Amino acid sequence: MSSYAVVMAENLLASASAERADAAANRQRILAAAERLFAERGPQISMTELASAAGVGRATLYRRYPDVTSVAVALLDVHEQQLQQQMISGPPPLGPGASPRRRLQAFYDAMIDLLEQHLPLALGAEQGATRFATGAYGFWRTFVISLIRAAGRQDDALADALLAPLAPELYRYQRQDRGQTVSQVKGALARLAHVLPE
Amino acid sequence: MSSYAVVMAENLLASASAERADAAANRQRILAAAERLFAERGPQISMTELASAAGVGRATLYRRYPDVTSVAVALLDVHEQQLQQQMISGPPPLGPGASPRRRLQAFYDAMIDLLEQHLPLALGAEQGATRFATGAYGFWRTFVISLIRAAGRQDDALADALLAPLAPELYRYQRQDRGQTVSQVKGALARLAHVLPE
DNA sequence: AGAGGAAGTGGACAGGTTGTCCGCTTGCCT
DNA sequence: AGGCAAGCGGACAACCTGTCCACTTCCTCT
């Protein structure tokens, strides 16, 4: 690729995202620092810490992210969108084609894998009451509602109840405070999935 | 009752609780102010606010309660202990005698009633990650574990999963953001209780 | 290529919160 | 009644948040 093409591509990208080159660089520095900080220090980091760890001023950080949870949400989004894609158009049992119960169970397994891999991020993404305000929660919710409907029922409240055990804070408690294994947690959720018909 | 007897009773009480009279009065003022503040302002109140609303100095407040959640927990304890008593020795279906599924469903109903009545307090009692550190959670957990065992299984993780939908924050979301009725929430939990045998 | 303008940047500021400390006050026991 | 210990409240330092503004950097257009 010629350097001219590179420049053109970067220009395209910049105009598409309406973001200047230095701004994009800082965004990367912020996200990288956040990923490191969340892993090292846990979910309790302040905007001040994050800014200085990223080597940017506080106002620069605030320009993009209103609070720490937004940064965590942005970091999680990458992994979540991948999962969401598989739920919509991937192969069964997660994708369409399997029974509601099977699909719910596959969803549980995938979410637990996600939590296991990115727990600090998931915890950071819901400081305060932001859990349900997140776009991701709406997606999971719509998915489970459709499974319940496919099973011949109509019960939004049941969807919320079925999603409740996926709260990151609960998973942290089960794994760290109670010493439960990943298999034990997945097994319990598999039992829960039995509220939907095979 | 003679005033002498009153004095003696107060002395007994004071020595039993190892708390001086003025201290007891301040505790009452703090609890009363907290109950009012939680109801008026929601769960987001600071120790500073609480102290000034109670008309005591900050250090006085800190002497008894390390943070706001402790105050909320103390206020909830009264109602929770009443429920716990009924679970241990009350009449079926909440008390012993009914099937595990029935008892779980009765427990769900009672907890939802509690949440409905004291939601601001319940929300205030778990700012941060304190939900599972609470003594109350351990009690609910032991109860559900015993139900599961009575149903012939052994699955602690399932107990945690079954308790997850009782998170105050979820209930707030269901009622306020989603407009679900108390009956709808209870109905969904009743379905969830079907993971235990009749 | 370079100049103008807009987007981006970082340091500073005010307001608020937390947890602790210490000198004074108050209640209780003898 | 007096002494002692527990209780009290104001003050303090450290921190965090969200915003503002003067300066810098990048992009675009000629």
Side-chain angles (χ1 to χ4, degrees):
Chain A
M1 196 189 263
S2 71
S3 80
Y4 175 78
V6 169
V7 169
M8 290 321 300
E10 280 170 354
N11 282 348
L12 262 175
L13 192 64
S15 66
S17 58
E19 189 178 54
R20 247 168 53 176
D22 52 347
N26 273 345
R27 152 169 285 142
Q28 286 311 315
R29 288 212 284 173
I30 289 171
L31 290 178
E35 190 140 43
R36 188 169 51 79
L37 270 190
F38 275 121
E40 285 174 6
R41 287 234 234 292
Q44 299 276 9
I45 66 178
S46 69
M47 290 291 268
T48 304
E49 277 181 306
L50 179 51
S52 93
V56 302
R58 291 175 37 70
T60 305
L61 177 55
Y62 271 102
R63 167 172 287 267
R64 289 191 189 44
Y65 304 103
D67 46 44
V68 174
T69 77
S70 308
V71 183
V73 167
L75 283 170
L76 265 185
D77 251 28
V78 182
H79 311 288
E80 281 177 342
Q81 281 179 12
Q82 189 176 344
L83 174 54
Q84 290 176 5
Q85 203 55 42
Q86 292 184 333
M87 288 161 65
I88 294 176
S89 57
L94 189 53
S99 72
R101 182 191 294 179
R102 284 251 176 225
R103 288 192 76 186
L104 179 59
Q105 191 175 332
F107 167 65
Y108 275 153
D109 285 351
M111 283 297 286
I112 293 300
D113 288 338
L114 198 76
L115 284 176
E116 181 68 21
Q117 256 189 309
H118 304 288
L119 187 54
L121 241 51
L123 289 170
E126 60 175 75
Q127 296 294 90
T130 53
R131 166 137 222 254
F132 310 107
T134 288
Y137 186 84
F139 186 90
W140 314 140
R141 190 171 191 273
T142 304
F143 177 74
V144 176
I145 286 177
S146 79
L147 292 184
I148 295 171
R149 198 166 298 173
R153 268 195 272 280
Q154 163 93 21
D155 193 342
D156 289 12
L158 181 59
D160 290 315
L162 287 174
L163 285 171
L166 294 175
E169 182 54 37
L170 174 61
Y171 189 69
R172 189 206 57 73
Y173 168 77
Q174 292 183 287
R175 295 281 286 127
Q176 291 174 14
D177 294 357
R178 285 293 167 179
Q180 296 171 10
T181 66
V182 176
S183 306
Q184 283 175 326
V185 176
K186 284 185 178 177
L189 293 175
R191 280 234 71 79
L192 216 60
H194 277 62
V195 300
L196 293 189
E198 180 62 57
Chain B
M1 195 190 258
S2 71
S3 80
Y4 175 79
V6 169
V7 169
M8 291 319 300
E10 281 171 352
N11 282 348
L12 262 175
L13 192 63
S15 66
S17 57
E19 189 180 53
R20 247 167 54 174
D22 53 348
N26 274 344
R27 150 167 287 141
Q28 287 310 316
R29 287 211 284 174
I30 289 171
L31 290 177
E35 190 141 43
R36 186 169 52 79
L37 270 190
F38 275 120
E40 285 174 7
R41 288 235 231 292
Q44 299 277 10
I45 66 177
S46 69
M47 291 289 269
T48 304
E49 279 181 306
L50 180 51
S52 95
V56 303
R58 292 175 36 72
T60 305
L61 177 55
Y62 271 102
R63 168 173 288 267
R64 289 192 188 45
Y65 303 103
D67 47 44
V68 174
T69 77
S70 307
V71 183
V73 167
L75 283 170
L76 265 185
D77 250 29
V78 182
H79 310 290
E80 282 177 341
Q81 280 178 13
Q82 191 176 342
L83 173 53
Q84 290 176 5
Q85 202 57 42
Q86 292 184 331
M87 289 161 66
I88 295 176
S89 57
L94 189 53
S99 72
R101 182 191 295 177
R102 284 250 176 225
R103 289 192 75 186
L104 179 58
Q105 190 176 333
F107 167 65
Y108 276 152
D109 284 351
M111 283 296 287
I112 293 300
D113 288 338
L114 198 75
L115 283 177
E116 182 68 22
Q117 256 189 309
H118 304 288
L119 188 54
L121 242 51
L123 288 170
E126 59 175 76
Q127 298 294 89
T130 53
R131 167 138 219 253
F132 309 107
T134 288
Y137 186 83
F139 186 90
W140 313 139
R141 191 170 190 274
T142 302
F143 177 74
V144 176
I145 286 177
S146 79
L147 292 184
I148 295 172
R149 197 165 300 172
R153 270 195 273 280
Q154 163 93 20
D155 193 342
D156 288 13
L158 181 59
D160 291 314
L162 287 173
L163 284 171
L166 295 175
E169 182 53 38
L170 173 62
Y171 189 69
R172 188 206 57 73
Y173 169 77
Q174 292 183 287
R175 295 282 285 127
Q176 292 175 13
D177 294 357
R178 284 293 165 178
Q180 295 172 9
T181 65
V182 176
S183 307
Q184 284 175 324
V185 175
K186 284 185 178 178
L189 292 176
R191 281 233 69 79
L192 216 60
H194 278 61
V195 299
L196 294 188
E198 180 62 58

